[in-house]
């Protein structure tokens, strides 16, 4: 397993690619790590905001005795609090709809939960409290639940304000939960939470027999389309290994796809959609636009502990125009009237129909639901990381709104919460089972290699997930940027000047509120 690379938040505001990139000159993964380490800055504001909590906790646990769990918790009600009904399904071991397992896997999970409840003499409950109530109660120091299961833009804000506990402490370890142990937690997501201040683990996740933690968007390519354009799968995988999978290379391949006539290669009765092949669609949803935006464009900066919006900067303006030119320069967009885009079809649908050479999709599109790509797509596909912003840069996997598990500061006995989480880890976390899920998502061993070596170890937390208000502002900003890059079917197309005048003050206000500056 590769060592997790730490990116404090200032390093997450990535330099836009096209202003400095050139083809070739890629580095090996080891060389990339060295370059990234030397370029990493300190997230001063986030560190300052969390220092008091960290120091207080460290002082409190420096002489802590090993936790000895009681043989019987006397019917204790262990309350998991979150905002998602889906989380309730995970935490109660049954489906929310009718309280009954829907398949053999769910039935086994339910039995595991019931056995654990019986062994410890506890009862699991799940409270779908509103986030307003959760945040207000946490801020007031009131008990809300024994653990939270929240999306990043909620738990990150709670960490900054000191309302959840760091988890890589002696107190938590003494209770049996080692958040640096991949046998106990999803190593990739858990280590990513350190990026908040470069030191502390604030949230964990589990991946094992009963499911894996969702991760952010990565590149998916149609093997047949790229092969016809002169780029077979082996070539694509080697580009990644050699550090040469960049946005310039992506541009080069898209141009080749646009110039290829697929009718002479593909039997129409087998792949009827190939006659309408496009290289790529940019951008049909705001989450995907956010991925593109954060790879290319610095929208915030931090200096001497003060965070500032860069949406009004000349760099943002230049990058925006360069990006728009980049995505308009070849045949990437589907025509609305021809392809019924207004009916809600997404690039996921077009990709599964063998109409796209590339797409950026997240792990939820490769699960085992009826409409997942790995179950429905007839054509073959492969996985790659997102292209690098610059040849000497890093591959990144930008997290979206996945959930993490954290312990509230107001809980009466953090050791009890940690101990029960350690017992849940024995059920829910297994790195070998996680690899099995990854293999089920992929169509070849090389794609699994891409996931394990280049995608999962390079997860980053973009700034927009540090609070819900930031998330809302960045989400709207991304959507309006996406409309400029792929405006078909939209009614909210805005000029660059309108985007700047609208979002610069909103983003600055959200930063000021979060960091109390």
């Amino acid at each position: 397993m590769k060592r997790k690379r730490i990116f404090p938040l200032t390093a997450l505001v990535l330099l836009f690619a096209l202003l400095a990139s050139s083809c070739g000159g890629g580095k090996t993964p080891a060389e990339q790590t060295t370059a990234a380490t030397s370029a990493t800055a300190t997230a001063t504001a986030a560190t300052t905001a969390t220092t008091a909590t960290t120091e207080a906790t460290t002082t409190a646990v420096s002489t802590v005795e090993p936790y000895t769990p009681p043989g019987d918790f006397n019917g204790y009600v262990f309350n998991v609090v979150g905002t998602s009904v889906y989380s309730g399904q995970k935490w109660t071991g049954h489906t929310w709809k009718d309280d009954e397992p829907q398949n053999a896997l769910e039935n086994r999970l339910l039995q595991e939960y019931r056995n654990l409840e019986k062994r410890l003499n506890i009862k699991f409950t799940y409270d779908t409290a509103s986030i307003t109530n959760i945040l207000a109660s946490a801020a007031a120091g009131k008990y809300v639940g024994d653990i939270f299961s929240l999306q990043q833009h909620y738990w990150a804000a709670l960490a900054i304000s000191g309302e959840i506990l760091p988890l890589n402490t002696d107190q938590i370890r003494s209770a049996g939960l080692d958040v640096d142990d991949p046998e106990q937690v999803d190593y990739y997501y858990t280590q990513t939470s350190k990026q908040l201040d470069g030191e502390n683990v604030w949230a964990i996740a589990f991946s094992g027999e009963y499911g894996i933690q969702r991760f952010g968007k990565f590149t998916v390519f149609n093997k047949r389309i790229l092969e016809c354009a002169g780029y077979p799968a082996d070539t694509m995988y080697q580009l990644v290994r050699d550090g040469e999978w960049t946005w310039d290379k992506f541009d080069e391949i898209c141009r080749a796809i646009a110039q290829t006539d697929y009718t002479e290669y593909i039997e129409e009765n087998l792949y009827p959609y190939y006659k309408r092949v496009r290289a790529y669609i940019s951008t049909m949803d705001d989450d995907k636009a956010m991925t593109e935006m954060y790879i290319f464009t610095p929208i915030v900066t931090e200096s001497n502990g003060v965070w500032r919006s860069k949406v009004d900067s000349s760099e943002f303006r230049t990058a925006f125009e360069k990006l728009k030119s980049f995505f308009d320069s070849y045949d990437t967009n589907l025509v609305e009237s021809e392809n019924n885009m207004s009916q809600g079809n997404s690039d996921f649908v077009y990709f599964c129909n063998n109409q796209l050479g590339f797409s950026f999709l997240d792990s939820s599109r490769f699960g085992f639901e009826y409409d997942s790509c790995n179950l429905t797509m007839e054509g073959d596909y492969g996985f790659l990381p997102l292209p690098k912003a610059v040849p000497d840069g890093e591959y990144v996997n930008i997290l979206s709104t996945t959930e993490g598990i954290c312990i509230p500061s107001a809980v009466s006995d953090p050791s009890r919460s940690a101990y029960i989480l350690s017992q849940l880890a024995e059920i829910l976390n297994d790195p070998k089972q996680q690899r099995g899920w990854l293999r089920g998502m992929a169509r070849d061993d090389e794609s699994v290699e891409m996931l394990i070596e280049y995608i999962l170890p390079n997860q980053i937390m973009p700034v927009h997930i540090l609070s819900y208000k930031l998330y809302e502002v960045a989400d709207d900003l991304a959507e309006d940027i996406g409309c400029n890059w792929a405006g078909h079917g939209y009614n909210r197309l805005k000029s660059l000047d309108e985007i700047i005048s609208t979002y610069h003050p909103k983003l600055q206000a959200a930063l000021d509120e979060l960091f109390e500056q």
Side-chain angles (χ1 to χ4, degrees):
M1 180 178 294
K2 284 186 176 289
R3 184 173 177 270
K4 179 69 186 68
R5 301 165 188 159
I6 300 300
F7 290 77
L9 291 176
T10 47
L12 306 188
V13 188
L14 302 176
L15 293 178
F16 41 92
L18 300 180
L19 306 183
S21 63
S22 59
C23 290
K27 294 189 176 183
T28 65
E31 292 170 330
Q32 294 164 18
T33 303
T34 301
T37 302
S38 64
T40 298
T42 301
T44 307
T47 303
T48 301
T50 55
T51 296
T53 299
T54 304
E55 289 180 349
T57 303
T58 302
T59 300
V61 303
S62 59
T63 59
V64 69
E65 294 293 329
Y67 177 73
T68 303
D72 188 319
F73 281 90
N74 295 318
Y76 183 77
V77 177
F78 189 78
N79 191 22
V80 183
V81 175
T83 59
S84 169
V85 170
Y86 173 70
S87 291
Q89 296 174 14
K90 292 189 296 182
W91 283 110
T92 56
H94 55 70
T95 60
W96 195 262
K97 180 179 178 181
D98 57 8
D99 255 21
E100 294 296 331
Q102 299 298 297
N103 52 52
L105 189 69
E106 287 186 4
N107 190 63
R108 289 203 305 274
L109 177 58
L110 174 60
Q111 193 57 51
E112 292 269 25
Y113 272 101
R114 298 301 173 252
N115 290 342
L116 181 59
E117 287 178 327
K118 183 177 180 180
R119 177 166 64 86
L120 299 181
N121 192 12
I122 61 174
K123 176 67 177 177
F124 290 112
T125 63
Y126 183 82
D127 181 6
T128 52
S130 72
I131 190 61
T132 301
N133 290 339
I134 293 173
L135 296 178
S137 297
K142 296 179 180 179
Y143 169 81
V144 184
D146 293 277
I147 60 173
F148 291 153
S149 180
L150 298 172
Q151 295 174 338
Q152 292 102 312
H153 48 261
Y154 297 133
W155 67 250
L158 291 173
I160 290 171
S161 60
E163 288 149 9
I164 59 173
L165 298 174
L167 302 178
N168 51 340
T169 63
D170 290 341
Q171 181 181 21
I172 301 302
R173 279 188 289 268
S174 75
L177 181 65
D178 184 351
V179 297
D180 291 315
D181 182 359
E183 295 295 326
Q184 284 198 296
V185 296
D186 183 301
Y187 180 81
Y188 304 109
Y189 182 87
T190 298
Q191 292 298 302
T192 299
S193 79
K194 284 184 177 179
Q195 294 168 9
L196 190 61
D197 63 3
E199 178 182 1
N200 292 297
V201 169
W202 298 99
I204 65 172
F206 299 126
S207 291
E209 178 181 0
Y210 301 104
I212 62 173
Q213 176 74 348
R214 179 179 170 183
F215 49 92
K217 285 182 167 57
F218 50 93
T219 309
V220 190
F221 70 95
N222 184 299
K223 289 184 179 179
R224 184 59 171 150
I225 290 178
L226 266 65
E227 182 180 13
C228 292
Y231 295 87
D234 288 346
T235 297
M236 300 304 300
Y237 297 133
Q238 195 59 44
L239 285 172
V240 174
R241 299 183 189 111
D242 294 340
E244 297 175 359
W245 174 232
T246 65
W247 283 102
D248 278 346
K249 183 60 69 173
F250 176 84
D251 183 29
E252 172 190 313
I253 298 171
C254 283
R255 292 175 186 274
I257 292 171
Q259 296 168 8
T260 300
D261 181 3
Y262 290 90
T263 57
E264 63 181 273
Y265 295 101
I266 308 297
E267 293 181 11
E268 252 187 63
N269 62 348
L270 180 60
Y271 295 121
Y273 289 105
Y274 272 116
K275 63 184 179 181
R276 294 200 299 271
V277 164
R278 298 294 187 272
Y280 171 71
I281 304 174
S282 174
T283 292
M284 294 184 65
D285 67 78
D286 49 358
D287 194 35
K288 188 154 153 289
M290 210 176 291
T291 298
E292 293 165 348
M293 180 177 66
Y294 271 91
I295 290 173
F296 283 107
T297 310
I299 67 166
V300 303
T301 185
E302 177 269 334
S303 177
N304 298 321
V306 179
W307 291 81
R308 290 285 178 256
S309 164
K310 290 203 70 176
V311 173
D312 67 337
S313 67
S314 59
E315 294 92 344
F316 180 89
R317 183 180 293 274
T318 302
F320 179 94
E321 296 293 355
K322 196 73 175 178
L323 281 168
K324 188 174 186 300
S325 172
F326 176 78
F327 285 113
D328 285 346
S329 63
Y330 46 75
D331 188 12
T332 61
N333 295 317
L334 297 174
V335 180
E336 178 185 358
S337 59
E338 179 184 79
N339 292 284
N340 203 27
M341 183 173 174
S342 61
Q343 297 303 309
N345 287 342
S346 68
D347 54 340
F348 164 70
V349 174
Y350 295 125
F351 185 82
C352 288
N353 284 341
N354 298 294
Q355 289 180 262
L356 295 180
F358 290 109
S359 188
F360 299 149
L361 301 174
D362 66 37
S363 60
S364 66
R365 294 298 192 179
F366 296 89
F368 294 90
E369 301 296 330
Y370 70 95
D371 61 347
S372 59
C373 198
N374 49 320
L375 297 183
T376 62
M377 184 171 172
E378 294 185 22
D380 202 2
Y381 59 80
F383 296 158
L384 306 170
L386 297 173
K388 292 194 296 184
V390 292
D392 291 343
E394 287 283 329
Y395 295 118
V396 296
N397 177 251
I398 300 175
L399 287 176
S400 52
T401 54
T402 53
E403 294 186 4
I405 304 158
C406 43
I407 298 179
S409 300
V411 72
S412 61
D413 189 350
S415 295
R416 177 177 56 205
S417 293
Y419 173 75
I420 293 176
L421 280 173
S422 75
Q423 301 304 294
L424 286 167
E426 294 182 8
I427 299 171
L428 299 173
N429 197 78
D430 184 338
K432 291 181 180 179
Q433 294 278 2
Q434 179 187 30
R435 189 182 180 106
W437 280 94
L438 297 176
R439 188 62 185 88
M441 294 167 56
R443 293 279 178 89
D444 57 30
D445 291 337
E446 290 82 359
S447 289
V448 178
E449 174 197 348
M450 295 294 113
L451 288 169
I452 293 175
E453 298 292 329
Y454 300 98
I455 297 173
L456 287 171
N458 291 304
Q459 294 183 18
I460 66 171
M461 290 173 53
V463 174
H464 76 267
I465 65 174
L466 292 188
S467 74
Y468 188 67
K469 183 167 288 187
L470 268 175
Y471 177 81
E472 286 185 312
V473 174
D475 189 61
D476 287 343
L477 170 60
E479 185 168 347
D480 278 334
I481 288 177
C483 292
N484 277 274
W485 295 347
H488 305 296
Y490 289 94
N491 297 317
R492 56 181 293 173
L493 188 65
K494 292 183 179 179
S495 69
L496 177 55
D497 286 338
E498 288 177 304
I499 287 174
I500 292 173
S501 63
T502 299
Y503 292 106
H504 172 62
K506 287 184 177 181
L507 188 61
Q508 188 60 55
L511 290 169
D512 291 344
E513 178 179 328
L514 176 63
F515 293 107
E516 298 181 351
Q517 59 187 22

